Amino acid sequence: MTKPFVALVLFVLVGSPVSADDLAADFERLCGVFEEALTLNEKPGVMAVYLRDNLPYRVESKEVLDAYDAILLVDPSERYRVFKQAAEANMEDSWDCPAFKALVE
């Protein structure tokens, strides 16, 4: 079941006209929002609302937001790995976000 979603996430991003630099900046913005949510030290529902309210305004590329939405359909234990692979494939660089991993798995 994970393979079709990996393909979907990669397809959403690879077909994008957005530059790798722009995507890299947005992956970092996404990570920053997750770091802020994690520092709230609140219940998961509160952090989810924070993410929902902030991601669309802080992450500029629709492609990164669509990839995030798609990743929610993946088994929680695979979400970080799949998103990390998609980010790195599109940025052409390594990407790591412990806060993202903590909140999506």
Side-chain angles (χ1 to χ4, degrees), residues 30-51:
L30 178 134
C31 185
V33 174
F34 272 82
E35 288 169 347
E36 292 167 7
L38 195 58
T39 62
L40 294 174
N41 290 322
E42 293 287 342
K43 294 178 182 174
V46 173
M47 290 186 283
V49 169
Y50 183 85
L51 293 170

Side-chain angles (χ1 to χ4, degrees), residues 27-102:
F27 281 114
E28 291 309 316
R29 284 185 198 102
L30 178 134
C31 185
V33 174
F34 272 82
E35 288 169 347
E36 292 167 7
L38 195 58
T39 62
L40 294 174
N41 290 322
E42 293 287 342
K43 294 178 182 174
V46 173
M47 290 186 283
V49 169
Y50 183 85
L51 293 170
R52 183 198 69 210
D53 290 347
N54 283 276
L55 284 174
Y57 301 104
R58 310 254 304 271
V59 176
E60 295 175 5
S61 65
K62 181 180 180 323
E63 294 81 5
V64 173
L65 293 172
D66 287 347
Y68 171 68
D69 288 341
I71 208 71
L72 297 176
L73 301 172
V74 175
D75 182 85
S77 67
E78 295 291 316
R79 288 178 183 165
Y80 182 74
R81 182 185 62 77
V82 170
F83 196 81
K84 179 177 172 60
Q85 286 176 341
E88 291 177 344
N90 286 277
M91 292 172 43
E92 301 171 356
D93 200 0
S94 63
W95 183 82
D96 188 41
C97 183
F100 183 85
K101 182 176 184 176

